[in-house]
Short mmCIF file of all heavy atoms in Angstrom, two decimals:
data_model
loop_
_atom_site.label_atom_id
_atom_site.label_comp_id
_atom_site.label_asym_id
_atom_site.label_seq_id
_atom_site.Cartn_x
_atom_site.Cartn_y
_atom_site.Cartn_z
N MET A 775 6.32 5.92 4.78
CA MET A 775 4.90 5.83 5.09
C MET A 775 4.14 6.22 3.87
O MET A 775 4.57 7.14 3.06
CB MET A 775 4.59 6.70 6.24
CG MET A 775 3.31 6.57 6.90
SD MET A 775 3.29 7.45 8.53
CE MET A 775 1.84 6.68 8.98
N PHE A 776 3.03 5.60 3.69
CA PHE A 776 2.16 5.86 2.47
C PHE A 776 0.78 6.41 2.93
O PHE A 776 -0.23 5.50 2.83
CB PHE A 776 2.11 4.63 1.59
CG PHE A 776 3.43 4.12 1.11
CD1 PHE A 776 4.11 3.21 1.77
CD2 PHE A 776 3.94 4.68 -0.04
CE1 PHE A 776 5.33 2.70 1.33
CE2 PHE A 776 5.13 4.25 -0.58
CZ PHE A 776 5.88 3.38 0.14
N PRO A 777 0.56 7.59 3.24
CA PRO A 777 -0.62 8.05 3.71
C PRO A 777 -1.85 7.95 2.70
O PRO A 777 -2.99 7.87 2.97
CB PRO A 777 -0.40 9.49 4.07
CG PRO A 777 0.78 9.91 3.24
CD PRO A 777 1.55 8.58 3.11
N ASN A 778 -1.53 8.11 1.40
CA ASN A 778 -2.55 8.12 0.45
C ASN A 778 -3.16 6.57 0.31
O ASN A 778 -4.36 6.50 0.10
CB ASN A 778 -2.12 8.56 -0.91
CG ASN A 778 -1.78 10.04 -0.83
OD1 ASN A 778 -2.23 10.80 0.00
ND2 ASN A 778 -0.91 10.49 -1.72
N ILE A 779 -2.26 5.59 0.39
CA ILE A 779 -2.86 4.25 0.37
C ILE A 779 -3.71 4.01 1.57
O ILE A 779 -4.86 3.51 1.50
CB ILE A 779 -1.69 3.21 0.30
CG1 ILE A 779 -0.96 3.33 -0.97
CG2 ILE A 779 -2.19 1.82 0.53
CD1 ILE A 779 0.21 2.37 -1.04
N ARG A 780 -3.18 4.53 2.66
CA ARG A 780 -4.11 4.34 3.93
C ARG A 780 -5.36 5.04 3.84
O ARG A 780 -6.41 4.53 4.29
CB ARG A 780 -3.22 4.95 5.10
CG ARG A 780 -2.02 4.11 5.51
CD ARG A 780 -2.30 2.87 6.23
NE ARG A 780 -1.07 2.28 6.75
CZ ARG A 780 -0.97 1.35 7.50
NH1 ARG A 780 -2.05 0.65 7.93
NH2 ARG A 780 0.05 0.86 7.93
N ALA A 781 -5.34 6.28 3.23
CA ALA A 781 -6.51 6.99 3.07
C ALA A 781 -7.61 6.35 2.20
O ALA A 781 -8.69 6.17 2.46
CB ALA A 781 -6.31 8.36 2.55
N GLU A 782 -7.06 5.67 1.07
CA GLU A 782 -7.88 4.98 0.12
C GLU A 782 -8.40 3.77 0.76
O GLU A 782 -9.63 3.34 0.63
CB GLU A 782 -7.12 4.81 -1.11
CG GLU A 782 -6.76 5.91 -1.98
CD GLU A 782 -8.01 6.79 -2.33
OE1 GLU A 782 -9.10 6.13 -2.60
OE2 GLU A 782 -7.87 7.95 -2.38
N MET A 783 -7.64 3.12 1.60
CA MET A 783 -8.09 1.89 2.35
C MET A 783 -9.20 2.29 3.17
O MET A 783 -10.27 1.54 3.29
CB MET A 783 -6.94 1.29 3.18
CG MET A 783 -5.86 0.58 2.31
SD MET A 783 -4.42 0.16 3.41
CE MET A 783 -5.12 -1.09 4.40
N ALA A 784 -9.12 3.35 3.96
CA ALA A 784 -10.15 3.80 4.86
C ALA A 784 -11.48 4.18 4.11
O ALA A 784 -12.58 3.74 4.46
CB ALA A 784 -9.68 5.03 5.62
N ARG A 785 -11.34 4.82 2.95
CA ARG A 785 -12.55 5.16 2.11
C ARG A 785 -13.15 3.88 1.69
O ARG A 785 -14.45 3.90 1.49
CB ARG A 785 -12.10 6.00 0.97
CG ARG A 785 -11.75 7.42 1.29
CD ARG A 785 -11.47 8.21 0.05
NE ARG A 785 -10.87 9.54 0.40
CZ ARG A 785 -9.60 9.75 0.34
NH1 ARG A 785 -8.74 9.01 -0.15
NH2 ARG A 785 -9.20 11.00 0.71
N SER A 786 -12.42 2.90 1.41
CA SER A 786 -12.94 1.59 0.88
C SER A 786 -13.31 0.62 1.96
O SER A 786 -13.73 -0.60 1.62
CB SER A 786 -11.95 1.01 -0.16
OG SER A 786 -11.71 1.79 -1.15
N ASN A 787 -13.06 0.96 3.16
CA ASN A 787 -13.27 0.06 4.31
C ASN A 787 -12.46 -1.20 4.14
O ASN A 787 -12.91 -2.35 4.32
CB ASN A 787 -14.70 -0.34 4.53
CG ASN A 787 -15.50 0.82 5.03
OD1 ASN A 787 -15.03 1.65 5.90
ND2 ASN A 787 -16.63 0.99 4.54
N LEU A 788 -11.22 -1.16 3.64
CA LEU A 788 -10.28 -2.17 3.26
C LEU A 788 -9.34 -2.45 4.43
O LEU A 788 -8.61 -1.44 4.73
CB LEU A 788 -9.66 -1.83 1.99
CG LEU A 788 -8.77 -2.90 1.25
CD1 LEU A 788 -9.64 -4.20 0.91
CD2 LEU A 788 -8.22 -2.35 0.03
N LEU A 789 -9.33 -3.58 4.95
CA LEU A 789 -8.35 -3.94 5.97
C LEU A 789 -7.02 -4.46 5.48
O LEU A 789 -7.02 -5.08 4.42
CB LEU A 789 -9.03 -4.94 6.97
CG LEU A 789 -10.26 -4.56 7.69
CD1 LEU A 789 -10.91 -5.69 8.38
CD2 LEU A 789 -10.07 -3.29 8.45
N ILE A 790 -5.95 -4.37 6.22
CA ILE A 790 -4.66 -4.91 5.82
C ILE A 790 -4.81 -6.45 5.63
O ILE A 790 -4.24 -6.97 4.76
CB ILE A 790 -3.60 -4.64 6.84
CG1 ILE A 790 -3.24 -3.13 6.76
CG2 ILE A 790 -2.32 -5.55 6.67
CD1 ILE A 790 -2.15 -2.75 7.77
N SER A 791 -5.64 -7.10 6.52
CA SER A 791 -5.76 -8.58 6.48
C SER A 791 -6.44 -9.01 5.10
O SER A 791 -5.86 -9.97 4.54
CB SER A 791 -6.67 -8.97 7.63
OG SER A 791 -7.85 -8.42 7.69
N SER A 792 -7.38 -8.33 4.62
CA SER A 792 -7.99 -8.73 3.34
C SER A 792 -7.09 -8.29 2.16
O SER A 792 -6.98 -9.10 1.27
CB SER A 792 -9.32 -8.06 3.22
OG SER A 792 -9.30 -6.66 3.30
N MET A 793 -6.34 -7.26 2.28
CA MET A 793 -5.43 -6.89 1.22
C MET A 793 -4.31 -7.95 1.24
O MET A 793 -3.98 -8.43 0.14
CB MET A 793 -4.79 -5.52 1.45
CG MET A 793 -5.68 -4.29 1.02
SD MET A 793 -4.78 -2.73 1.23
CE MET A 793 -3.59 -2.81 -0.03
N ALA A 794 -3.85 -8.29 2.37
CA ALA A 794 -2.61 -9.28 2.45
C ALA A 794 -3.04 -10.54 1.82
O ALA A 794 -2.31 -11.14 1.16
CB ALA A 794 -2.16 -9.43 3.84
N LYS A 795 -4.25 -10.96 2.19
CA LYS A 795 -4.75 -12.25 1.65
C LYS A 795 -4.83 -12.23 0.06
O LYS A 795 -4.34 -13.26 -0.50
CB LYS A 795 -6.14 -12.56 2.18
CG LYS A 795 -6.68 -13.93 1.92
CD LYS A 795 -8.05 -14.19 2.59
CE LYS A 795 -8.38 -15.61 2.30
NZ LYS A 795 -9.61 -15.97 3.12
N LYS A 796 -5.37 -11.26 -0.50
CA LYS A 796 -5.48 -11.14 -1.94
C LYS A 796 -4.09 -11.06 -2.49
O LYS A 796 -3.76 -11.43 -3.72
CB LYS A 796 -6.29 -9.94 -2.44
CG LYS A 796 -7.78 -10.30 -2.54
CD LYS A 796 -8.44 -9.25 -3.23
CE LYS A 796 -9.77 -9.75 -3.67
NZ LYS A 796 -10.48 -8.99 -4.63
N LEU A 797 -3.11 -10.35 -1.89
CA LEU A 797 -1.84 -10.19 -2.39
C LEU A 797 -0.87 -11.41 -2.07
O LEU A 797 0.28 -11.43 -2.55
CB LEU A 797 -1.15 -8.98 -1.89
CG LEU A 797 -1.76 -7.60 -2.24
CD1 LEU A 797 -1.26 -6.39 -1.36
CD2 LEU A 797 -1.48 -7.32 -3.75
N LYS A 798 -1.36 -12.30 -1.32
CA LYS A 798 -0.67 -13.48 -0.94
C LYS A 798 0.58 -13.10 -0.02
O LYS A 798 1.70 -13.52 -0.30
CB LYS A 798 -0.33 -14.37 -2.09
CG LYS A 798 -1.55 -15.00 -2.66
CD LYS A 798 -1.10 -15.90 -3.87
CE LYS A 798 -2.27 -16.69 -4.32
NZ LYS A 798 -3.24 -16.14 -5.23
N LEU A 799 0.39 -12.23 0.82
CA LEU A 799 1.42 -11.66 1.76
C LEU A 799 0.99 -11.90 3.21
O LEU A 799 -0.28 -11.92 3.44
CB LEU A 799 1.66 -10.27 1.49
CG LEU A 799 2.24 -9.73 0.23
CD1 LEU A 799 2.33 -8.24 0.21
CD2 LEU A 799 3.64 -10.30 0.06
N ASN A 800 1.94 -11.94 4.03
CA ASN A 800 1.65 -12.05 5.44
C ASN A 800 1.21 -10.65 5.92
O ASN A 800 1.71 -9.66 5.38
CB ASN A 800 2.92 -12.51 6.20
CG ASN A 800 2.79 -12.41 7.64
OD1 ASN A 800 2.78 -11.38 8.33
ND2 ASN A 800 2.80 -13.66 8.24
N GLU A 801 0.23 -10.59 6.84
CA GLU A 801 -0.23 -9.21 7.41
C GLU A 801 0.92 -8.39 7.85
O GLU A 801 0.90 -7.13 7.58
CB GLU A 801 -1.29 -9.43 8.36
CG GLU A 801 -2.66 -9.95 7.92
CD GLU A 801 -3.61 -10.12 9.00
OE1 GLU A 801 -3.73 -9.27 9.83
OE2 GLU A 801 -4.26 -11.20 9.07
N ARG A 802 1.88 -8.96 8.64
CA ARG A 802 2.93 -8.21 9.18
C ARG A 802 3.81 -7.68 8.03
O ARG A 802 4.24 -6.53 8.14
CB ARG A 802 3.71 -9.00 10.11
CG ARG A 802 4.92 -8.25 10.62
CD ARG A 802 5.62 -8.98 11.60
NE ARG A 802 4.93 -8.86 12.95
CZ ARG A 802 5.36 -9.46 14.11
NH1 ARG A 802 6.46 -10.11 14.13
NH2 ARG A 802 4.68 -9.27 15.14
N THR A 803 4.06 -8.50 6.98
CA THR A 803 4.86 -8.03 5.89
C THR A 803 4.12 -6.89 5.20
O THR A 803 4.87 -5.85 4.82
CB THR A 803 5.00 -9.15 4.84
OG1 THR A 803 5.70 -10.26 5.49
CG2 THR A 803 5.84 -8.87 3.65
N LEU A 804 2.88 -6.92 4.90
CA LEU A 804 2.25 -5.75 4.27
C LEU A 804 2.28 -4.55 5.15
O LEU A 804 2.43 -3.50 4.77
CB LEU A 804 0.81 -6.24 3.90
CG LEU A 804 -0.04 -5.09 3.23
CD1 LEU A 804 0.71 -4.62 2.01
CD2 LEU A 804 -1.47 -5.60 2.87
N GLY A 805 2.00 -4.78 6.41
CA GLY A 805 2.12 -3.66 7.36
C GLY A 805 3.48 -2.97 7.38
O GLY A 805 3.51 -1.73 7.45
N ASN A 806 4.55 -3.70 7.33
CA ASN A 806 5.99 -3.21 7.29
C ASN A 806 6.07 -2.45 6.01
O ASN A 806 6.70 -1.33 6.00
CB ASN A 806 6.99 -4.28 7.36
CG ASN A 806 7.03 -4.80 8.71
OD1 ASN A 806 6.73 -4.17 9.74
ND2 ASN A 806 7.63 -6.03 8.88
N LYS A 807 5.53 -2.96 4.94
CA LYS A 807 5.70 -2.29 3.62
C LYS A 807 4.91 -0.94 3.67
O LYS A 807 5.36 0.09 3.19
CB LYS A 807 5.26 -3.12 2.44
CG LYS A 807 6.24 -4.35 2.23
CD LYS A 807 5.74 -5.18 1.18
CE LYS A 807 6.67 -6.39 1.13
NZ LYS A 807 7.51 -6.28 -0.09
N LEU A 808 3.68 -0.87 4.19
CA LEU A 808 2.81 0.25 4.27
C LEU A 808 3.46 1.29 5.17
O LEU A 808 3.24 2.45 4.94
CB LEU A 808 1.41 0.05 4.64
CG LEU A 808 0.58 -0.81 3.68
CD1 LEU A 808 -0.75 -1.31 4.34
CD2 LEU A 808 0.34 0.05 2.49
N SER A 809 4.16 0.95 6.25
CA SER A 809 4.80 1.77 7.09
C SER A 809 6.18 2.22 6.61
O SER A 809 6.80 3.20 7.26
CB SER A 809 4.87 1.23 8.53
OG SER A 809 5.94 0.12 8.55
N GLY A 810 6.65 1.69 5.57
CA GLY A 810 7.92 2.18 5.03
C GLY A 810 9.14 1.46 5.54
O GLY A 810 10.31 1.75 5.27
N LYS A 811 8.86 0.41 6.36
CA LYS A 811 10.03 -0.33 7.00
C LYS A 811 10.68 -1.16 5.97
O LYS A 811 11.93 -1.42 6.07
CB LYS A 811 9.54 -1.21 8.13
CG LYS A 811 9.07 -0.36 9.33
CD LYS A 811 8.58 -1.27 10.46
CE LYS A 811 8.04 -0.45 11.61
NZ LYS A 811 7.43 -1.18 12.68
N THR A 812 9.88 -1.77 4.99
CA THR A 812 10.50 -2.56 3.91
C THR A 812 9.90 -2.04 2.60
O THR A 812 8.83 -1.37 2.68
CB THR A 812 10.25 -4.01 4.01
OG1 THR A 812 8.87 -4.30 4.10
CG2 THR A 812 10.93 -4.58 5.24
N GLU A 813 10.53 -2.29 1.52
CA GLU A 813 10.08 -1.73 0.20
C GLU A 813 9.14 -2.66 -0.49
O GLU A 813 9.16 -3.87 -0.35
CB GLU A 813 11.26 -1.50 -0.64
CG GLU A 813 12.15 -0.36 -0.20
CD GLU A 813 13.26 0.00 -1.16
OE1 GLU A 813 13.35 -0.56 -2.34
OE2 GLU A 813 14.09 0.80 -0.72
N PHE A 814 8.25 -2.10 -1.24
CA PHE A 814 7.34 -2.87 -2.18
C PHE A 814 8.11 -3.21 -3.38
O PHE A 814 8.99 -2.58 -3.78
CB PHE A 814 6.15 -1.96 -2.67
CG PHE A 814 5.11 -1.69 -1.65
CD1 PHE A 814 5.02 -0.56 -0.82
CD2 PHE A 814 4.18 -2.73 -1.46
CE1 PHE A 814 4.04 -0.31 0.04
CE2 PHE A 814 3.13 -2.53 -0.44
CZ PHE A 814 3.10 -1.34 0.21
N THR A 815 7.71 -4.43 -3.91
CA THR A 815 8.30 -4.73 -5.22
C THR A 815 7.50 -4.17 -6.31
O THR A 815 6.37 -3.74 -6.03
CB THR A 815 8.33 -6.32 -5.42
OG1 THR A 815 6.97 -6.69 -5.55
CG2 THR A 815 9.03 -7.03 -4.37
N TRP A 816 8.06 -4.08 -7.54
CA TRP A 816 7.24 -3.50 -8.55
C TRP A 816 5.99 -4.20 -8.89
O TRP A 816 4.90 -3.70 -9.11
CB TRP A 816 8.18 -3.31 -9.94
CG TRP A 816 7.47 -2.70 -10.94
CD1 TRP A 816 7.19 -3.25 -12.19
CD2 TRP A 816 6.96 -1.35 -11.12
NE1 TRP A 816 6.55 -2.34 -13.03
CE2 TRP A 816 6.39 -1.12 -12.36
CE3 TRP A 816 7.02 -0.25 -10.17
CZ2 TRP A 816 5.78 0.11 -12.68
CZ3 TRP A 816 6.37 0.89 -10.57
CH2 TRP A 816 5.89 1.04 -11.88
N SER A 817 6.09 -5.53 -8.75
CA SER A 817 4.84 -6.26 -9.06
C SER A 817 3.77 -6.00 -7.91
O SER A 817 2.59 -6.00 -8.28
CB SER A 817 5.14 -7.81 -9.15
OG SER A 817 5.64 -8.34 -7.96
N GLU A 818 4.27 -5.93 -6.64
CA GLU A 818 3.23 -5.57 -5.63
C GLU A 818 2.59 -4.14 -5.84
O GLU A 818 1.38 -4.06 -5.66
CB GLU A 818 3.98 -5.58 -4.25
CG GLU A 818 4.40 -6.92 -3.85
CD GLU A 818 5.34 -6.92 -2.67
OE1 GLU A 818 5.98 -5.87 -2.35
OE2 GLU A 818 5.46 -7.96 -2.04
N VAL A 819 3.41 -3.29 -6.25
CA VAL A 819 2.89 -1.92 -6.51
C VAL A 819 1.85 -1.94 -7.65
O VAL A 819 0.69 -1.48 -7.47
CB VAL A 819 4.05 -0.86 -7.00
CG1 VAL A 819 3.51 0.37 -7.72
CG2 VAL A 819 4.97 -0.61 -5.83
N ASN A 820 2.08 -2.67 -8.70
CA ASN A 820 1.07 -2.82 -9.76
C ASN A 820 -0.15 -3.66 -9.33
O ASN A 820 -1.25 -3.20 -9.76
CB ASN A 820 1.74 -3.47 -11.02
CG ASN A 820 2.64 -2.47 -11.69
OD1 ASN A 820 2.18 -1.41 -12.11
ND2 ASN A 820 3.83 -2.89 -11.99
N ARG A 821 0.11 -4.58 -8.59
CA ARG A 821 -1.05 -5.47 -8.14
C ARG A 821 -2.02 -4.71 -7.14
O ARG A 821 -3.20 -4.82 -7.23
CB ARG A 821 -0.59 -6.77 -7.51
CG ARG A 821 -0.04 -7.66 -8.54
CD ARG A 821 0.44 -9.02 -7.95
NE ARG A 821 -0.71 -9.73 -7.64
CZ ARG A 821 -0.84 -10.44 -6.38
NH1 ARG A 821 0.22 -10.58 -5.60
NH2 ARG A 821 -1.89 -11.19 -6.10
N ILE A 822 -1.50 -3.88 -6.34
CA ILE A 822 -2.24 -3.03 -5.39
C ILE A 822 -3.08 -2.07 -6.13
O ILE A 822 -4.27 -1.94 -5.88
CB ILE A 822 -1.25 -2.32 -4.37
CG1 ILE A 822 -0.75 -3.34 -3.36
CG2 ILE A 822 -2.00 -1.19 -3.73
CD1 ILE A 822 0.41 -2.78 -2.40
N ARG A 823 -2.48 -1.42 -7.10
CA ARG A 823 -3.27 -0.46 -7.93
C ARG A 823 -4.39 -1.17 -8.68
O ARG A 823 -5.60 -0.85 -8.66
CB ARG A 823 -2.35 0.30 -8.86
CG ARG A 823 -3.19 1.37 -9.67
CD ARG A 823 -2.35 2.19 -10.50
NE ARG A 823 -3.13 3.02 -11.27
CZ ARG A 823 -3.28 2.92 -12.57
NH1 ARG A 823 -2.66 2.02 -13.35
NH2 ARG A 823 -4.06 3.80 -13.18
N THR A 824 -4.06 -2.25 -9.38
CA THR A 824 -4.96 -3.01 -10.16
C THR A 824 -6.01 -3.65 -9.36
O THR A 824 -7.24 -3.51 -9.77
CB THR A 824 -4.21 -4.17 -10.98
OG1 THR A 824 -3.24 -3.49 -11.82
CG2 THR A 824 -5.19 -4.93 -11.82
N LEU A 825 -5.79 -4.28 -8.27
CA LEU A 825 -6.72 -5.02 -7.54
C LEU A 825 -7.62 -4.14 -6.63
O LEU A 825 -8.83 -4.32 -6.44
CB LEU A 825 -6.11 -6.03 -6.63
CG LEU A 825 -5.44 -7.27 -7.33
CD1 LEU A 825 -4.65 -8.06 -6.28
CD2 LEU A 825 -6.47 -8.12 -7.92
N PHE A 826 -7.02 -3.04 -6.11
CA PHE A 826 -7.73 -2.33 -5.08
C PHE A 826 -8.14 -0.88 -5.45
O PHE A 826 -9.10 -0.36 -5.03
CB PHE A 826 -6.92 -2.26 -3.74
CG PHE A 826 -6.57 -3.64 -3.28
CD1 PHE A 826 -5.28 -4.05 -3.38
CD2 PHE A 826 -7.55 -4.44 -2.70
CE1 PHE A 826 -4.95 -5.40 -2.99
CE2 PHE A 826 -7.21 -5.79 -2.25
CZ PHE A 826 -5.97 -6.17 -2.36
N PHE A 827 -7.24 -0.17 -6.23
CA PHE A 827 -7.39 1.21 -6.44
C PHE A 827 -7.18 1.58 -7.92
O PHE A 827 -6.34 2.32 -8.30
CB PHE A 827 -6.45 2.03 -5.56
CG PHE A 827 -6.41 1.63 -4.16
CD1 PHE A 827 -5.36 1.00 -3.59
CD2 PHE A 827 -7.59 1.86 -3.37
CE1 PHE A 827 -5.34 0.56 -2.32
CE2 PHE A 827 -7.62 1.40 -1.97
CZ PHE A 827 -6.41 0.79 -1.45
N PRO A 828 -7.90 0.93 -8.79
CA PRO A 828 -7.68 1.12 -10.27
C PRO A 828 -7.87 2.52 -10.81
O PRO A 828 -7.36 2.92 -11.86
CB PRO A 828 -8.59 0.17 -10.92
CG PRO A 828 -9.65 -0.10 -9.98
CD PRO A 828 -9.08 0.05 -8.63
N THR A 829 -8.61 3.42 -10.07
CA THR A 829 -8.76 4.68 -10.57
C THR A 829 -7.81 5.75 -9.97
O THR A 829 -7.79 6.91 -10.37
CB THR A 829 -10.18 5.31 -10.11
OG1 THR A 829 -10.30 5.27 -8.68
CG2 THR A 829 -11.30 4.38 -10.72
N CYS A 830 -6.87 5.31 -9.23
CA CYS A 830 -5.81 6.18 -8.57
C CYS A 830 -4.54 5.93 -9.41
O CYS A 830 -4.17 4.83 -9.82
CB CYS A 830 -5.62 5.85 -7.16
SG CYS A 830 -7.07 6.10 -6.12
N SER A 831 -3.77 7.02 -9.38
CA SER A 831 -2.51 6.88 -10.11
C SER A 831 -1.38 6.29 -9.23
O SER A 831 -1.57 6.40 -7.96
CB SER A 831 -2.02 8.28 -10.56
OG SER A 831 -1.61 9.07 -9.42
N LEU A 832 -0.40 5.72 -9.77
CA LEU A 832 0.62 5.14 -8.95
C LEU A 832 1.40 6.20 -8.18
O LEU A 832 1.73 6.12 -7.03
CB LEU A 832 1.67 4.42 -9.69
CG LEU A 832 1.20 3.14 -10.40
CD1 LEU A 832 2.25 2.50 -11.26
CD2 LEU A 832 0.84 2.08 -9.30
N GLU A 833 1.54 7.43 -8.77
CA GLU A 833 2.22 8.57 -8.14
C GLU A 833 1.49 8.98 -6.91
O GLU A 833 2.09 9.25 -5.82
CB GLU A 833 2.34 9.78 -9.16
CG GLU A 833 3.17 9.52 -10.24
CD GLU A 833 2.66 8.70 -11.44
OE1 GLU A 833 1.38 8.44 -11.40
OE2 GLU A 833 3.36 8.29 -12.33
N TYR A 834 0.11 9.05 -7.03
CA TYR A 834 -0.62 9.44 -5.83
C TYR A 834 -0.64 8.34 -4.68
O TYR A 834 -0.37 8.67 -3.59
CB TYR A 834 -2.20 9.65 -6.36
CG TYR A 834 -3.11 9.68 -5.10
CD1 TYR A 834 -3.14 10.74 -4.32
CD2 TYR A 834 -3.98 8.53 -4.89
CE1 TYR A 834 -4.02 10.79 -3.18
CE2 TYR A 834 -4.84 8.59 -3.80
CZ TYR A 834 -4.86 9.74 -2.98
OH TYR A 834 -5.76 9.76 -1.96
N LEU A 835 -0.85 7.18 -5.08
CA LEU A 835 -0.88 6.00 -4.07
C LEU A 835 0.38 5.92 -3.35
O LEU A 835 0.44 5.76 -2.18
CB LEU A 835 -1.21 4.72 -4.81
CG LEU A 835 -2.59 4.54 -5.23
CD1 LEU A 835 -2.84 3.17 -5.98
CD2 LEU A 835 -3.67 4.55 -4.03
N PHE A 836 1.40 5.93 -4.08
CA PHE A 836 2.76 5.62 -3.53
C PHE A 836 3.62 6.92 -3.23
O PHE A 836 4.85 6.80 -2.97
CB PHE A 836 3.54 4.67 -4.38
CG PHE A 836 2.91 3.24 -4.36
CD1 PHE A 836 1.94 2.96 -5.26
CD2 PHE A 836 3.20 2.37 -3.31
CE1 PHE A 836 1.29 1.72 -5.27
CE2 PHE A 836 2.53 1.10 -3.29
CZ PHE A 836 1.66 0.81 -4.24
N GLU A 837 2.95 8.01 -3.04
CA GLU A 837 3.62 9.17 -2.55
C GLU A 837 4.04 8.95 -1.06
O GLU A 837 3.14 8.49 -0.27
CB GLU A 837 2.77 10.46 -2.62
CG GLU A 837 3.34 11.68 -2.16
CD GLU A 837 2.49 12.87 -2.29
OE1 GLU A 837 1.27 12.70 -2.40
OE2 GLU A 837 2.98 14.06 -2.15
N GLN A 838 5.26 9.19 -0.82
CA GLN A 838 5.84 8.93 0.53
C GLN A 838 5.90 10.15 1.34
O GLN A 838 6.28 11.19 0.90
CB GLN A 838 7.17 8.16 0.53
CG GLN A 838 7.08 6.77 0.17
CD GLN A 838 8.36 6.06 0.26
OE1 GLN A 838 9.32 6.48 -0.37
NE2 GLN A 838 8.49 5.15 1.11
N ILE A 839 5.68 9.96 2.72
CA ILE A 839 5.92 10.97 3.77
C ILE A 839 6.89 10.39 4.56
O ILE A 839 6.78 9.33 5.19
CB ILE A 839 4.68 11.30 4.49
CG1 ILE A 839 3.48 11.69 3.61
CG2 ILE A 839 4.83 12.29 5.67
CD1 ILE A 839 3.69 13.03 2.89
N HIS A 840 8.02 11.05 4.67
CA HIS A 840 9.13 10.61 5.54
C HIS A 840 9.09 11.28 6.88
O HIS A 840 8.82 12.50 6.95
CB HIS A 840 10.50 10.89 4.89
CG HIS A 840 10.63 10.19 3.56
ND1 HIS A 840 10.95 8.86 3.42
CD2 HIS A 840 10.50 10.68 2.27
CE1 HIS A 840 11.00 8.52 2.12
NE2 HIS A 840 10.71 9.59 1.41
N ASN A 841 9.29 10.49 7.94
CA ASN A 841 9.32 11.10 9.31
C ASN A 841 10.64 11.76 9.44
O ASN A 841 11.75 11.28 9.10
CB ASN A 841 9.14 9.99 10.29
CG ASN A 841 7.86 9.38 10.35
OD1 ASN A 841 6.85 9.97 9.94
ND2 ASN A 841 7.70 8.15 10.84
N LYS A 842 10.53 13.01 9.98
CA LYS A 842 11.77 13.80 10.19
C LYS A 842 12.16 13.71 11.66
O LYS A 842 11.35 14.11 12.49
CB LYS A 842 11.75 15.20 9.70
CG LYS A 842 11.56 15.31 8.21
CD LYS A 842 11.33 16.68 7.76
CE LYS A 842 11.17 16.80 6.28
NZ LYS A 842 10.96 18.11 5.86
N SER A 843 13.28 13.24 12.00
CA SER A 843 13.79 13.33 13.40
C SER A 843 14.57 14.62 13.60
O SER A 843 15.35 14.99 12.88
CB SER A 843 14.70 12.12 13.70
OG SER A 843 13.90 10.91 13.42
N ALA A 844 14.27 15.22 14.75
CA ALA A 844 14.89 16.41 15.03
C ALA A 844 16.28 16.29 15.71
O ALA A 844 16.56 15.34 16.29
CB ALA A 844 14.04 17.29 15.99
#
């Protein structure tokens, strides 16, 4: 899970649908990547930062929070 990307999306009123369109990805595919079900490619990581969040560091944007099962 990438909570910082989600937070920046909320601050920018950016929807998965509009991001997916610019990234040329299916909405479900992007949703799976944002939830951590599948991995981002390096080019996707760079394009997300460049296109949507140029003032944020990659380390901040792609910091992961892992769900812990008890």
Side-chain angles (χ1 to χ4, degrees):
M775 196 166 193
F776 299 95
N778 295 337
I779 294 176
R780 296 282 192 171
E782 294 301 324
M783 287 172 66
R785 285 186 192 101
S786 302
N787 294 317
L788 189 58
L789 301 174
I790 287 178
S791 58
S792 58
M793 280 184 73
K795 187 174 182 176
K796 276 196 161 187
L797 294 168
K798 295 182 170 82
L799 294 173
N800 178 286
E801 287 180 45
R802 178 176 277 180
T803 299
L804 182 56
N806 285 341
K807 290 175 185 260
L808 289 171
S809 68
K811 291 179 184 174
T812 57
E813 293 186 7
F814 284 100
T815 66
W816 183 243
S817 64
E818 290 166 344
V819 165
N820 284 308
R821 290 182 68 221
I822 287 170
R823 180 174 178 249
T824 301
L825 291 173
F826 304 107
F827 313 111
T829 61
C830 297
S831 72
L832 290 176
E833 292 82 7
Y834 165 73
L835 286 173
F836 290 91
E837 180 180 17
Q838 286 188 298
I839 302 297
H840 298 283
N841 291 336
K842 294 181 181 177
S843 299

